[in-house]
């Protein structure tokens, strides 16, 4: 190129113009500018609050102070975003950044920047500690948490008042409350969504409550433990078999219709995340939420969920990506996103602000419970496969012919084999 610029022939000069045009089409403005590509998931529930609007406004604000960097954001639905990113990576056209549901496969393949090569020290240190650890593979953080939530037990205050009952604190109190609600003719005294949409979450809630979970203290799969078997047997014997979970079999009930039924006033109790707050308010439902009950009171552990931001090395834009992500994770922008989409923040600074702010009162209990929460084993490349098997099989354990011990044993064997193959 430099030789072309010093050539005196018209042909060479024309070649330079053409070459410059081609470079512009490949992400450079021809003047040293860099264009970053971000693929993100949509947290909105309508065109009016699509995440595309949020990211476009944030990118515009960033570009005003960083004229040499452009940020091109494409937002996809949660049904499509992971597949879209995989297709881009497989085609050799990885985006600079992706905000999706999992990161471990790309980290294990050596395709991601370590977070320490991107973020400033204060920004990286501001992540909630448990979330940062969940983003590590081999002791190095590759996944940056992005939007979080936990689960609490939502209940319909009007239905509880009619049944003359109080929000349950223990498993036995939950069963008693469900019986009272059924006696009042409530369609779903306790909704138990173990359908394929999010069965891995509903299952983990009750496993953790009983001191179980998907992994042990050293991170190995421990799916068929006695604590987990007992939790599923309790759901089956004390709630499903007596008809306290409503007309739809748990294996066929998904989270979205369960939430809708709650907002419509047809559910007495169910475990829910902050999205349900907006749904209930939109329908004018008088609801309350309390900690998920434990066998004897306080649950042994609580479930936390976070999505992930990651940065691919292919584009070679570590400096620009790091600068933009520092901006993304600033206190103001984390607060703006969390409030716009009713999710818990992933940074300590934003969490402290929201826990103290009257406007965020409804979210404060969810934020509090994220401290010390247990997360999916997202740092395992085998987790997507194991999660898919849980979604497929777990609902049968509470059915008439279901066996928690047998089903969890099969999933454990498959998970151990998948982990060994990592």
């Amino acid at each position: 190129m430099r030789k072309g610029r010093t050539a005196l022939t018209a042909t060479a000069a024309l070649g330079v113009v053409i070459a410059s045009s081609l470079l512009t089409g490949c992400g450079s403005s021809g003047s040293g500018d860099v264009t970053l590509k971000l693929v993100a998931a949509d947290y909105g529930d309508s065109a009016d609050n699509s995440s595309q609007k949020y990211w476009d406004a944030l990118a515009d604000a960033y570009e005003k102070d960083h004229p040499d960097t452009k940020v091109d954001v494409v937002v996809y639905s949660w049904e499509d975003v992971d597949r879209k990113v995989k297709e881009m990576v497989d085609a050799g056209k990885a985006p600079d950044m992706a905000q999706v549901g999992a990161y471990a496969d790309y980290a294990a393949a050596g395709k991601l920047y370590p977070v320490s090569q991107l973020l400033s020290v204060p920004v990286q240190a501001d992540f909630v500690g448990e979330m940062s650890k969940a983003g590590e593979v081999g002791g190095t953080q590759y996944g940056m948490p992005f939007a979080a939530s936990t689960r609490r037990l939502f209940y319909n205050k009007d239905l509880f008042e009619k049944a003359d009952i109080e929000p349950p604190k223990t498993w036995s109190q939950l069963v008693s409350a469900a019986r009272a609600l059924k006696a009042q003719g409530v369609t779903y005294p306790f909704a138990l969504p173990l359908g394929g949409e999010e069965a891995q979450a509903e299952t983990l809630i009750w496993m953790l409550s009983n001191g179980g979970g998907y992994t042990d203290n050293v991170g190995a799969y421990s799916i068929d433990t006695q604590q987990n078997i007992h939790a599923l047997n309790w759901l089956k014997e004390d709630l499903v078999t007596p008809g306290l979970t409503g007309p739809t079999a748990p294996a066929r009930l998904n989270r979205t219709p369960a939430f809708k039924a709650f907002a419509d006033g047809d559910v007495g109790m169910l475990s829910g995340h902050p999205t349900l707050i907006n749904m209930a308010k939109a329908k004018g439902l008088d609801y309350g939420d309390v900690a998920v009950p434990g066998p004897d009171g306080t649950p042994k552990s609580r479930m936390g969920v976070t999505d992930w931001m990651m940065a691919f090395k292919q584009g070679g834009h570590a400096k620009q990506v790091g600068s933009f992500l520092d901006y993304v994770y600033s206190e103001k922008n984390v607060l703006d996103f969390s409030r716009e989409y009713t999710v818990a923040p992933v940074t300590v600074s934003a969490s402290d602000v929201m826990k103290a702010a009257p406007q965020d009162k409804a979210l404060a209990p969810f934020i509090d419970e994220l401290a010390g929460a247990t997360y999916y084993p997202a740092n395992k490349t085998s987790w997507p496969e194991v999660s898919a098997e849980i979604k497929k099989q777990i609902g049968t354990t509470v059915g008439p012919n279901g066996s928690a011990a047998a089903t969890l044993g099969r999933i454990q064997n498959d998970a151990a084999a998948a982990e060994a193959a990592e």
Side-chain angles (χ1 to χ4, degrees), residues 177-196:
R179 288 174 180 158
L181 291 165
K182 183 179 181 181
Q184 291 289 320
V186 176
T187 305
Y188 292 90
F190 173 71
L192 182 65
L194 292 178

Side-chain angles (χ1 to χ4, degrees), residues 236-273:
K236 176 181 179 179
E237 295 165 8
D238 288 39
L239 289 163
V240 180
T241 301
L244 302 179
T245 54
T248 304
R252 297 199 303 271
L253 182 63
N254 282 319
R255 177 78 65 197
T256 297
F259 277 17
K260 182 179 184 301
F262 181 81
D264 289 340
D266 296 327
V267 175
M269 300 175 283
L270 84 168
S271 56
H273 52 66

Side-chain angles (χ1 to χ4, degrees), residues 114-139:
V115 177
S116 60
Q117 294 182 18
L118 300 168
L119 300 181
S120 63
V121 172
V123 172
Q124 185 175 2
D126 197 27
F127 288 131
V128 175
E130 294 81 3
M131 297 181 196
S132 286
K133 190 168 182 61
E136 294 179 359
V137 174

Side-chain angles (χ1 to χ4, degrees), residues 26-29 33-39 59 62-63 66 68-74 88 94-98 113 118 311-312 315-326 328:
C26 295
S28 169
S29 69
D33 291 358
V34 168
T35 297
L36 301 178
K37 178 81 171 184
L38 167 62
V39 177
Y62 178 80
E63 289 169 1
H66 301 81
D68 291 337
T69 302
K70 308 301 178 185
V71 184
D72 178 19
V73 186
V74 179
M88 295 172 71
D96 293 286
M97 296 162 284
Y113 282 114
L118 300 168
F312 288 91
H317 297 140
K319 180 179 179 181
Q320 293 86 355
V321 168
S323 173
F324 177 67
L325 290 178
D326 271 358
V328 169

Side-chain angles (χ1 to χ4, degrees), residues 4 16 23-24 60 74 90 116 133 150 158 182 196 236 239 265 310 331-332 338-339 369:
V16 173
L23 283 172
T24 302
D60 286 345
V74 179
D90 290 347
S116 60
K133 190 168 182 61
T150 185
D158 291 338
K182 183 179 181 181
K236 176 181 179 179
L239 289 163
M310 55 189 168
E331 181 181 297
K332 176 187 180 301
S338 300
R339 286 167 171 162
E369 291 192 3

Side-chain angles (χ1 to χ4, degrees), residues 42 47 86 95 97 114 118 125 157 161 191 196 210 216 218 233-234 253 260 277 284 297 310 326 366:
D42 195 354
K86 185 178 185 302
M97 296 162 284
L118 300 168
K157 286 187 175 182
E161 184 177 350
N210 196 42
D216 60 21
V218 296
N233 284 339
W234 169 72
L253 182 63
K260 182 179 184 301
I277 296 173
M310 55 189 168
D326 271 358
F366 293 88

